[in-house]
Amino acid sequence: MTAQIIDGKVVAQKVRDEVKAEVEKLVAAGKPRPGLATVLVGDRVDSATYVRSKQKACAELGIESFGHMLPADAKQEEVEELVTKLSADPKVNGILVQLPLPSHLNEEAVLQKIRLDKDVDGFHPINIGRLAQKGREPLFVPCTPFGCIYLLEQAGVQIDGANAVVLGRSNIVGMPAALLLIGKNATVTVCHSRTKDLPGVVRRADILIAAIGKTEMVRGDWVKPGVAVIDVGINSKPDPTKEKGYRLVGDVNFDEVKEVAGWITPVPGGVGPMTIAMLMKNTFRAAQIQNP
Ligand code: NAP
């Protein structure tokens, strides 16, 4: 069996085209143009790259972006004050605080300052709390797990009643992905660094979401034939044939697993492009909520 490749670039572009068209309609109807504020604290190269990509996506989709940068030694009060100011700014519909924050800062306290209806990253404790409760709806769902579920649904994978295994329990990916799957009636097992017999657990999965950050750890003989595999991992693997000396690979051994799985996302070009697309979707939704 050779798996169907789920092309995240194509799906993400479709989402972006839809958001762009919706933004145009909104503006044509005389409503304010949606706006996203980004907050970057410190000088992490990867964080700066992510923020730039998010601003570029805004420009392409007709969403205004307001970039804010604070130094790596910014004080807790400074960051909280900025977020509070953005929460009160009517031009700002969505606020994205790029994580991780420098370690001296209290991340949860900063996220709590984001007005709930501007929490386009979905990390406000109340939005996460609602995601964890039966019958409650968060205003926004964290972008990467939202993208994972969207890819499964677009591929036509049956989630209702499926056995799903999520590798990783981070606040950003693993836990919200597991909660979303439970909300869609999957039976979910969440694995982490203390899980015993990982291959044995993974082998029971009809749906596997891998988000552990371990190079190609999931092997071909770990998975059940026909499983739907969403690989969130982004790892660099030495590759002397590449100019940079490395290439990006996932948490799943793509070449092996694609021979057994029913569906699989590649790395790059799978979940990666979905994260920003879902952020754009959330920002548009925030504008709709704030300017009904
Ligand atoms: P993280 O915060 O480092 O969490 C990793 C999780 O994996 C933890 O729960 C950890 O368990 C678990 N884990 C680590 N080693 C393990 C092992 N050997 N066996 C089983 N579980 C193990 O990572 P993250 O932020 O969720 O990111 C995960 C991966 O996704 C990374 O490669 C990251 O670059 C990628 N990512 C991609 C996107 C995207 O847009 N595509 C977005 C976010 C993240 P413990 O809890 O026990 O420590």
Side-chain angles (χ1 to χ4, degrees), residues 50-58 96 98 276 279-280:
Y50 293 140
V51 166
R52 263 199 311 277
S53 312
K54 289 165 186 175
Q55 290 170 337
K56 191 165 159 254
C58 284
L96 179 133
Q98 187 63 43
I276 292 182
L279 174 67
M280 298 296 110

Side-chain angles (χ1 to χ4, degrees), residues 89 101 123 128 132 146 155 172 180 182-183 200 213-214 218 222 252 288:
D89 184 343
L101 290 171
F123 294 142
I128 288 289
F146 189 9
I172 295 178
L180 278 167
I182 292 171
K214 298 278 174 240
V218 177
W222 287 30
V252 173
Q288 273 185 315

Side-chain angles (χ1 to χ4, degrees), residues 144 168-170 173 192-193 198 211-214 217 232-234 272 275:
T144 301
R169 56 175 164 182
S170 73
V173 192
H192 45 76
S193 61
L198 209 53
I212 47 177
K214 298 278 174 240
M217 187 162 150
V232 186
I234 304 175
T275 299

Side-chain angles (χ1 to χ4, degrees), residues 231-275:
D231 190 354
V232 186
I234 304 175
N235 312 292
S236 45
K237 182 177 177 180
D239 184 345
T241 69
K242 301 281 173 199
E243 204 178 307
K244 288 180 177 164
Y246 69 89
R247 67 190 166 97
L248 294 182
V249 297
D251 290 340
V252 173
N253 186 314
F254 183 83
D255 289 338
E256 288 180 12
V257 173
K258 81 171 188 329
E259 298 304 322
V260 189
W263 297 264
I264 188 166
T265 58
V267 177
V271 176
M274 292 304 293
T275 299

Side-chain angles (χ1 to χ4, degrees), residues 43-78:
D43 41 22
R44 275 180 69 129
V45 177
D46 56 345
S47 293
T49 308
Y50 293 140
V51 166
R52 263 199 311 277
S53 312
K54 289 165 186 175
Q55 290 170 337
K56 191 165 159 254
C58 284
E60 279 171 25
L61 273 53
I63 293 174
E64 273 201 82
S65 69
F66 311 97
H68 294 268
M69 288 163 81
L70 291 173
D73 60 356
K75 295 206 170 57
Q76 182 76 24
E77 306 82 72
E78 245 180 292

Side-chain angles (χ1 to χ4, degrees), residues 203-220:
R203 226 169 265 129
R204 294 203 293 269
D206 305 311
I207 294 173
L208 174 68
I209 297 188
I212 47 177
K214 298 278 174 240
T215 302
E216 297 176 330
M217 187 162 150
V218 177
R219 309 297 304 259

